Amino acid sequence: AAADDLEIIIMGESGHGARPHEAIDAIWIASQVIITLQQAISRTQNPLRPVVLSIGKINGGRAPNIIADKVQLLGTVRSLHPETRANLPNWIERIVASVCNSYGAKYQVNYRQGVPSVQNDYFLTQLLQSSAEEAWGSDRVQVLPEPSLGAEDFSVYLERSPGSMFRLGVGFKDRVINYPLHHPQFEIDESAIVTGVVTMAYTAYRYWQQVS
């Protein structure tokens, strides 16, 4: 998926926690922004073109009995389709503006585009699959039925040249649990390196057979 960085700053007005009606509570408004964004995804975005918006960090407030006047939200936005991605900054800002205007707060939205989504070339993907099946047998090749909303900067290469990204299984066959990537106990079976090298080399060989 395309992975973009999102920063939302909510600016309210500080006051005493015992008299919230005399202030503009940035924390409460920030919570409304988060809830509204999550609900709006399911009702305003095409469900066949997934969007994931996750707020991973919240900063705000100075003391337990003081209404916060400023809150910073930091998150990530994931999407698969370029057309959807292009509309997301304005879509997010409209929602933030609507919530903040309703409660008298000001806001700032900073949206930074990261890597785009991976767009595999169909011909090369088919060639890669058939080459891997010839080299290792069809039982060693799995076709992933669904896309991943993880991000990969390999997509930047694909903007300049056609290509195909595949996943190399690196788990141990004799283990009940193979811990996933980013887990503190993640470990690979290094014999998978041979599988990867042979797959890429044989695919390149077959490619030059077809184009030469």
Side-chain angles (χ1 to χ4, degrees):
D4 300 331
D5 295 329
L6 175 64
E7 180 189 41
I8 302 172
I9 300 174
I10 309 297
M11 293 163 282
E13 187 174 325
S14 187
H16 198 287
R19 296 185 292 277
H21 60 289
E22 297 177 357
I24 299 175
D25 190 343
I27 287 181
W28 177 71
I29 295 171
S31 70
Q32 299 304 307
V33 166
I34 294 173
I35 292 171
T36 305
L37 283 170
Q38 298 299 340
Q39 292 176 336
I41 287 175
S42 67
R43 288 296 173 263
T44 63
Q45 294 296 318
N46 185 344
L48 299 179
R49 296 193 168 193
V51 174
V52 170
L53 191 159
S54 296
I55 299 298
K57 187 175 182 180
I58 301 176
N59 296 318
R62 290 174 289 170
N65 63 336
I66 297 177
I67 301 292
D69 61 348
K70 184 177 181 180
V71 172
Q72 178 196 47
L73 308 175
L74 297 175
T76 183
V77 184
R78 305 296 173 99
S79 58
L80 293 175
H81 296 80
E83 300 84 1
T84 300
R85 185 192 191 198
N87 294 325
L88 286 174
N90 289 334
W91 176 79
I92 291 171
E93 183 153 2
R94 285 198 304 270
I95 292 174
V96 175
S98 176
V99 174
C100 289
N101 291 338
S102 297
Y103 302 115
K106 298 179 181 180
Y107 71 91
Q108 181 179 339
V109 176
N110 299 315
Y111 193 100
R112 187 181 69 84
Q113 287 195 335
V115 297
S117 58
V118 172
Q119 303 289 326
N120 282 340
D121 179 84
Y122 180 80
F123 165 74
L124 293 177
T125 302
Q126 297 300 308
L127 179 64
L128 175 63
Q129 179 181 341
S130 62
S131 299
E133 289 174 343
E134 285 185 25
W136 300 107
S138 58
D139 61 319
R140 296 277 298 277
V141 179
Q142 296 181 15
V143 177
L144 301 178
E146 297 177 347
S148 166
L149 286 172
E152 175 53 57
D153 56 10
F154 182 74
S155 58
V156 179
Y157 290 101
L158 298 182
E159 288 189 323
R160 291 162 172 77
S161 180
S164 182
M165 177 180 172
F166 70 97
R167 292 174 179 252
L168 180 64
V170 297
F172 292 86
K173 292 181 180 180
D174 57 348
R175 293 190 181 180
V176 177
I177 298 177
N178 279 291
Y179 292 97
L181 186 67
H182 301 314
H183 191 281
Q185 297 185 54
F186 173 69
E187 187 179 6
I188 70 168
D189 181 352
E190 293 189 356
S191 66
I193 296 174
V194 175
T195 305
V197 170
V198 170
T199 299
M200 294 183 70
Y202 187 52
T203 302
Y205 169 73
R206 288 192 59 213
Y207 173 80
W208 288 113
Q209 276 189 320
Q210 295 190 29
V211 300
S212 60

